[in-house]
Amino acid sequence: VKLNSMDTRANIESEEVFDYFRSIVPYEEHASLPVDENGKFINVDFESGADKFGTIGEVSIAEITKANSFCGSQSLNVPESGDTPVALFYELDPYDLPKTESTPPYYQVRARLFNNAEHDVSFNIDLVEYSEISSARKVNSLGTRLCSPGKWTNIKDIVFDFDHDVYRKYRIVFTPTEPVDYCLDDFCMSLGKSDYLFNIRHFDPDIQGDLNS
């Protein structure tokens, strides 16, 4: 590297120049969330506010609705908007995550999705790592789930792990493969399993039966 010149915003002995670097740290360090008896440490049913949820874009169009819910009386609705699928995200604070017994640590995400279309729609679930001071993004695919029309689909066994970079931000993102009106409810995160036996006991069992239940 050939350096021709360099300007500083303050005298090098001033603390202001170091405060700039502290200001871009996206999360404040804090104790991890407690884990309940079922292994969950985050559980959102949208019966109250959910400020860590939003849709991708300058203005979030996700709204709490009482028209549909899986548990309780309301859920989070993402309306169909134009010709582009609308992605819904949960802003993940890495300091919320408790340590796991597995090495490396694994965590699980579960949610209920309601597909308001008249046909099956697939949803991609990703872990997105990004920065507010850089356009570079890292996207880790966590899986794809097919949601039947007019019913709540249990989105389970979404497993992830990551290296916590204090200068990066993280989102769990649900993206439909086509424009669709949909709802999300019963979102939770729990500790995972190192042996990939993902169906920990708080998950609802699948209904046994023929094609018409």
Side-chain angles (χ1 to χ4, degrees), residues 92-135:
L92 177 62
D93 184 340
Y95 289 118
D96 286 344
L97 278 60
K99 293 182 179 180
T100 70
E101 297 178 356
S102 59
T103 304
Y106 292 99
Y107 304 94
Q108 291 193 82
V109 176
R110 189 192 73 179
R112 304 280 180 163
L113 281 177
F114 190 91
N115 167 20
N116 276 320
E118 296 181 352
H119 56 276
D120 293 344
V121 176
S122 292
F123 284 78
N124 298 320
I125 300 95
D126 301 300
L127 174 67
V128 177
E129 177 185 305
Y130 71 103
S131 172
E132 294 181 336
I133 60 174
S134 171
S135 60

Side-chain angles (χ1 to χ4, degrees), residues 163-183:
D163 295 323
H164 180 190
D165 182 344
V166 297
Y167 296 103
R168 309 289 288 175
K169 301 190 78 172
Y170 300 90
R171 286 174 174 175
I172 302 292
V173 181
F174 298 82
T175 309
T177 54
E178 61 183 83
V180 64
D181 181 276
Y182 63 97
C183 295

Side-chain angles (χ1 to χ4, degrees), residues 34-87:
V35 180
D36 69 13
E37 60 182 6
N38 293 319
K40 291 188 290 187
F41 54 90
I42 291 176
N43 189 32
V44 183
D45 58 10
F46 299 102
E47 297 305 297
S48 58
D51 56 352
K52 290 188 177 183
F53 283 90
T55 55
I56 305 297
E58 293 183 2
V59 178
S60 176
I61 62 173
E63 294 183 344
I64 298 293
T65 178
K66 292 184 178 294
N68 206 343
S69 67
F70 175 80
C71 60
S73 61
Q74 55 192 28
S75 63
L76 189 66
N77 175 243
V78 180
E80 183 177 346
S81 179
D83 298 328
T84 303
V86 180

